[in-house]
C-alpha cells in the first residue's frame, strides 16, 4: 500500500465498524484503500481492516463491480497463499458489496524500515553496533542484510511456486515479523488451530529490537495480486521489485543479487523465471510509444 | 528572448511564437496558429497524406504567425521543432521546414521532445508547481512525475493510446473527424444513459486499451445491425450508439483517473496536470477534479489551444532548453518516431 503524506479527507467507515469500540484507527491511506487497525470479536484480538471506499468519480455501476471484484480477488489470493503455506495475513471476514475485508494483524516492521535503519546504522560507523561484539564491524552488518535479502528471495519464490504473483512487490509490502514466543497467549484463529504456528498476531514487547537476520518475511497488500503460473508474470513481479529496490534503497542494490540468488534456489522452475527476467529487463520500458 | 516553434508530429500543424521576458516572469504568447488535417469519417489520417498537408501549409502558417506577432526575422532567437515522438513522415516534413528556415534566417535549431513540450506548456499556463502529469493524446498515454532532472514515467498504456482507442471507435461508428473524433464522441456520450460492461484493464500504474476497443467494436456491430436490440440489464431499454460512447468514456476515463491517483499517492503529490488532446475532454476533467478534491488536491487543465498539439508548446520548451545553452547542431537536426519522455535531461528545473 502506498503511503501518502497528503492528508486525505476523513472517509466514513462502513457498517458495522461505525459502532466498533474503541473506534478503528487509520494506519495508512493508499490510492485505493484505507487500512485501519481494529479488533476481531474480542478487544484483545487485533486485526487489520481494509476498506475500499466508493470512488465518487466512477460510474456507480462500474464502481460496485470493481470494488466487489477486487475485494473477492484479494481475499481468494490470500486464502490460497495461506492454504499453500505462504506467509501472508489470514482473512477473517469480508463484505464484498460494502467493500471491506478483515485480516489478521501483522505486527512488525516493514522491510523498508529495517533496511533504512540498517543503512543509517552502517553510516554511523561500526563502533556502536551492539550485536557485533566480536568486532566484525561492517561485514557483520552486511551479513545481517544478506540474511534478510535471502529471506525475501525465498518468500517471493514460495509465493510464485504456488502460482500467485503479487503485482506490487516493494519493500513497503513486506513485513519482518518475529513469531510470538510460546508463552504468549494462543491467538484466536478462524481455522480452528490454536497454536501460534502460522499466525502473526500480537508479537510481544521486543519488536523494536528485531534485527535483519531474525524473524520471518510476511508479504502484505495483495490488492494487485493475480493467480498465474506463467514465467513472464513472475519475471515481471521480480522486475517490479528490482526497480522498487533501486529507487528506495540505492545503496542496497547490491543486496538485490542475494534476493535473486535465494529466489533461484527456492523452487523448481525459479531458474527459468530468472532467465526470463533478463528479457524483461532488456525490454524494460523502452517500448515504442506509437499507438 | 523569442522562439519560433514548429509542431507536426500528428495531424495538426502548429506554429507559435513565444517571448520569455529577460527578467523571468510569465511567458508572452505572441502568436499560436494551427491547421488540422481532417480525414473523412471512417478513416484515420495516413502518414503520407498528413505529411503532404503539412508541406502544403507550413509556409502559410509561419507567415501568418509572424504577421500576427508583428515580428521581424531579426527578433527571433531560435527555431524549435518537434524531434519526436510521432509519425515519421509528418515529423520529417516539419524538420525539413525547420532546417530550411534555420539556414535561410541563420538561426540556431532546438529539437524538442513533444511530450516535454506538452508538460512545460501546461505548467506555464496553469502555474502548477510540481504536479503529477497525465499526458493523454492520440499517440500517448503516460502518468509522469518529475524527479531529479527528468520527467519520469510512472505508468503508461501497454498497447494503444487512449486517444487512439477513442479515434478508432469513432471510425467504427463512422462519426465525423471534424473537429476531432474525441470531441464528437464526447457530445454523443452526453446523450448516453446506460453503462454496458466493458473490460477494465489496469495493472498497477499501467493500463491497456486494445481489449476495450475490440470489445466495444463487437457491441457496435450488434447495435448497428440492430440484432434483436441488445438491452440494458436494469431498465430493459435498447442500447444505443450514444450509450456505447458513454460507456467507453466512463470506462477509459475511470482507468486514467485510477492510475493518476495511484501515482499521486506514490509520490505524495496533491496536484494533477492534464495535458494532451484527450485532456480537453470535460468529463475527464470533471472526474479528475472529483478525485483530486477527495485528496484535498487540485486539478489543472488547459483549453484546446494548449491541450491539443500546438506550435507554442514546442517554442516554449525549446526556448527553456535554449536559455540553458542547449541547441541542436544542423547535422543532428533529425527527427525520430521513438523518443521517450524520460530521455530528456531537464536542465531548466530545480
Amino acid at each position: 500500500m502506498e503511503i501518502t503524506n497528503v492528508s486525505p479527507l476523513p472517509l466514513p467507515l462502513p457498517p458495522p465498524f461505525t459502532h466498533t469500540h474503541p473506534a478503528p484507527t487509520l494506519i495508512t491511506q493508499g490510492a485505493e484503500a484505507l487500512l485501519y487497525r481494529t479488533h476481531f470479536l474480542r478487544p484483545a484480538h487485533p486485526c487489520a481492516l481494509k476498506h475500499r471506499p466508493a470512488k465518487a468519480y466512477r460510474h456507480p455501476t462500474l464502481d460496485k463491480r470493481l470494488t466487489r471484484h477486487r475485494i473477492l480477488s484479494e481475499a481468494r489470493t490470500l486464502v490460497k497463499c495461506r492454504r499453500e503455506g505462504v506467509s501472508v495475513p489470514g482473512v477473517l471476514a469480508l463484505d464484498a458489496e460494502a467493500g471491506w475485508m478483515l485480516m489478521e494483524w501483522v505486527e512488525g516492521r516493514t522491510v523498508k524500515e529495517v533496511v533504512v535503519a540498517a543503512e543509517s546504522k552502517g553510516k554511523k560507523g561500526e563502533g556502536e553496533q551492539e550485536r557485533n561484539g566480536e568486532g566484525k564491524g561492517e561485514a557483520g552488518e552486511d551479513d545481517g542484510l544478506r540474511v534478510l535479502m535471502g529471506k525475501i528471495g525465498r518468500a517471493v519464490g514460495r509465493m510464485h511456486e504456488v502460482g500467485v504473483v503479487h503485482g506490487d512487490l516493494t519493500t513497503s509490502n513486506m513485513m519482518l515479523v518475529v513469531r510470538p514466543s510460546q508463552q504468549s497467549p494462543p491467538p484466536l484463529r478462524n481455522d480452528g488451530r490454536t497454536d501460534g504456528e502460522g499466525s502473526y498476531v500480537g508479537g510481544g514487547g521486543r519488536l523494536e529490537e528485531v534485527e535483519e537476520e531474525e524473524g520471518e518475511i510476511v508479504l502484505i497488500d495483495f490488492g494487485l495480486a493475480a493467480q498465474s503460473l506463467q514465467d513472464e508474470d513472475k519475471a515481471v513481479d521480480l522486475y517490479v521489485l528490482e526497480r522498487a529496490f533501486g529507487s528506495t534503497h540505492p545503496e542496497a542494490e547490491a543486496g538485490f543479487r542475494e534476493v535473486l540468488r535465494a529466489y533461484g534456489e527456492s523452487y523448481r522452475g525459479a531458474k527459468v523465471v530468472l532467465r526470463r527476467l533478463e528479457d524483461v529487463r532488456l525490454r524494460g520500458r523502452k517500448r515504442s510509444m506509437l499507438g | 528572448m523569442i522562439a519560433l516553434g514548429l509542431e507536426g508530429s500528428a495531424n495538426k500543424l502548429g506554429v507559435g511564437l513565444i517571448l520569455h521576458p529577460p527578467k523571468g516572469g510569465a511567458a508572452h504568447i505572441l502568436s499560436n496558429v494551427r491547421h488540422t488535417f481532417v480525414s473523412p469519417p471512417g478513416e484515420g489520417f495516413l502518414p503520407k497524406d498528413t505529411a503532404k498537408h503539412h508541406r502544403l501549409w507550413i509556409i502559410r502558417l509561419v507567415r501568418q504567425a509572424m504577421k500576427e506577432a508583428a515580428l521581424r526575422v531579426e527578433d527571433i532567437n531560435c527555431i524549435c521543432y518537434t524531434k519526436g515522438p510521432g509519425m515519421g513522415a509528418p515529423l520529417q516534413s516539419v524538420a525539413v521546414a525547420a532546417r530550411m528556415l534555420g539556414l535561410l534566417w541563420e538561426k540556431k535549431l532546438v529539437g524538442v521532445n513533444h511530450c516535454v513540450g506538452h508538460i512545460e506548456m501546461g505548467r506555464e499556463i496553469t502555474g502548477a508547481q510540481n504536479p503529477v502529469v497525465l499526458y493523454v493524446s492520440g499517440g500517448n498515454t503516460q502518468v509522469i512525475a518529475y524527479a531529479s532532472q527528468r520527467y519520469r514515467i510512472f505508468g503508461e498504456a501497454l498497447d494503444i493510446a487512449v486517444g487512439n482507442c477513442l479515434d478508432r471507435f469513432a471510425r467504427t461508428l463512422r462519426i465525423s473527424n471534424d473537429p476531432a473524433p474525441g470531441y464528437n464522441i464526447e457530445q454523443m456520450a452526453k446523450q448516453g444513459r446506460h453503462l454496458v460492461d466493458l473490460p477494465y484493464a489496469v495493472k498497477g500504474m499501467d493500463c491497456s486499451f486494445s481489449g476495450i476497443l475490440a470489445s466495444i467494436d463487437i457491441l457496435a456491430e450488434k447495435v448497428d445491425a440492430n440484432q434483436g436490440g441488445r438491452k440494458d440489464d436494469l431498465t430493459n431499454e435498447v442500447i444505443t450508439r450514444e450509450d456505447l460512447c458513454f460507456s467507453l468514456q466512463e470506462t477509459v476515463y475511470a482507468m486514467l483517473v485510477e492510475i493518476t491517483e495511484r501515482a499521486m499517492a506514490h509520490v505524495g503529490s496533491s496536484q494533477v496536470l492534464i495535458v494532451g488532446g484527450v485532456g480537453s475532454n470535460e468529463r475527464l476533467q470533471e472526474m479528475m477534479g472529483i478525485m483530486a478534491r477527495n485528496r484535498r488536491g487540485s486539478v489543472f487543465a488547459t483549453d484546446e489551444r494548449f491541450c491539443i498539439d500546438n506550435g507554442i508548446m514546442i517554442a516554449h520548451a525549446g526556448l527553456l532548453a535554449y536559455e540553458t545553452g542547449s541547441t541542436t547542431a544542423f547535422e543532428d537536426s533529425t527527427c525520430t518516431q521513438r523518443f521517450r519522455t524520460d530521455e530528456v535531461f531537464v536542465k531548466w528545473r530545480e
Side-chain angles (χ1 to χ4, degrees), chain B residues 213-279:
Chain B
L213 178 63
S215 171
I216 196 156
D217 273 352
I218 293 170
L219 293 174
E221 243 171 64
K222 287 181 185 155
V223 168
D224 277 352
N226 214 1
Q227 286 175 351
R230 203 190 124 89
K231 291 191 177 121
D232 183 65
D233 297 338
L234 296 173
T235 57
N236 220 23
E237 288 174 326
V238 178
I239 299 292
T240 62
R241 289 155 60 96
E242 285 75 15
D243 289 335
L244 293 184
C245 291
F246 172 72
S247 305
L248 182 60
Q249 282 208 149
E250 288 300 314
T251 307
V252 297
Y253 294 155
M255 289 164 57
L256 294 176
V257 175
E258 180 179 339
I259 60 171
T260 308
E261 182 170 21
R262 200 164 282 146
M264 287 170 78
H266 197 79
V267 303
S269 169
S270 61
Q271 294 185 333
V272 206
L273 171 65
I274 315 178
V275 299
V278 181

Side-chain angles (χ1 to χ4, degrees), chain B residues 194-214:
Chain B
H194 305 112
L195 187 84
V196 298
D197 260 11
L198 292 172
Y200 186 94
V202 164
K203 294 184 172 190
M205 283 185 250
D206 294 331
C207 49
S208 153
F209 297 101
S210 62
I212 296 175
L213 178 63

Side-chain angles (χ1 to χ4, degrees), chain B residues 57-77:
Chain B
W57 280 87
I58 185 81
I59 303 292
R60 260 185 270 186
L61 286 187
V62 171
R63 277 220 173 98
Q64 191 192 335
M66 292 294 285
K67 202 172 156 196
E68 270 182 26
L71 287 180
R72 293 163 305 157
V73 168
E74 305 88 87
D75 301 328
I76 296 173
N77 294 83

Side-chain angles (χ1 to χ4, degrees), chain B residues 93-168:
Chain B
S93 304
V94 175
V96 166
R99 255 176 261 155
M100 184 265 293
L101 288 175
L103 289 177
L104 193 68
W105 294 347
E106 294 176 339
K107 304 289 180 196
K108 290 273 189 213
L109 294 177
V110 184
V112 175
N113 180 297
H114 181 86
C115 317
V116 172
H118 270 297
I119 298 170
E120 290 304 347
M121 201 64 219
R123 289 210 311 132
E124 176 68 32
I125 294 291
T126 63
Q129 285 305 305
N130 188 22
V132 165
V133 182
L134 176 68
Y135 171 28
V136 276
S137 66
N140 294 280
T141 307
Q142 298 180 338
V143 182
I144 301 157
Y146 176 82
S148 44
Q149 257 59 57
R150 289 199 196 267
Y151 285 110
R152 298 183 194 267
I153 303 168
F154 279 73
E156 62 190 312
L158 297 170
D159 39 51
I160 60 173
V162 61
N164 191 243
C165 176
L166 295 167
D167 289 352
R168 282 160 71 175

Side-chain angles (χ1 to χ4, degrees), chain A residues 2-10 31-32 55-59 62 65-66 70 285 287-290, chain B residues 85-86 139-140 142 154 156 197-198 200 206 257-258 261-262 265 268 283 287 290 293 295-296 339-340:
Chain A
E2 310 96 340
I3 294 160
T4 169
N5 54 23
V6 180
S7 67
L9 290 175
E32 288 289 293
K55 295 284 184 191
Y57 66 82
R58 274 198 295 243
H59 190 284
L62 178 62
R65 184 184 121 202
L66 291 174
R70 286 172 180 178
R285 290 187 157 232
R287 287 165 294 101
S288 155
M289 295 203 301
L290 294 171
Chain B
N140 294 280
Q142 298 180 338
F154 279 73
E156 62 190 312
D197 260 11
L198 292 172
Y200 186 94
D206 294 331
V257 175
E258 180 179 339
E261 182 170 21
R262 200 164 282 146
R283 177 61 182 145
M287 288 165 77
I290 298 170
R293 265 198 304 287
R295 301 193 71 81
R296 291 190 203 230
F339 188 6
R340 289 180 63 77

Side-chain angles (χ1 to χ4, degrees), chain A residues 126-175:
Chain A
E126 303 102 58
E128 305 157 83
Q129 291 169 26
E130 315 109 53
R131 290 182 304 106
N132 291 311
E134 314 96 85
K136 265 195 280 176
E138 218 168 82
E141 193 56 55
D142 283 353
D143 281 351
L145 272 183
R146 191 172 322 132
V147 172
L148 176 67
M149 295 301 149
K151 280 179 185 166
I152 295 172
R154 281 187 292 278
V156 175
R158 187 76 195 88
M159 174 184 70
H160 281 180
E161 185 179 9
V162 306
V164 169
V165 288
H166 186 280
D168 189 22
L169 280 178
T170 62
T171 45
S172 313
N173 283 338
M174 300 171 179
M175 307 278 291

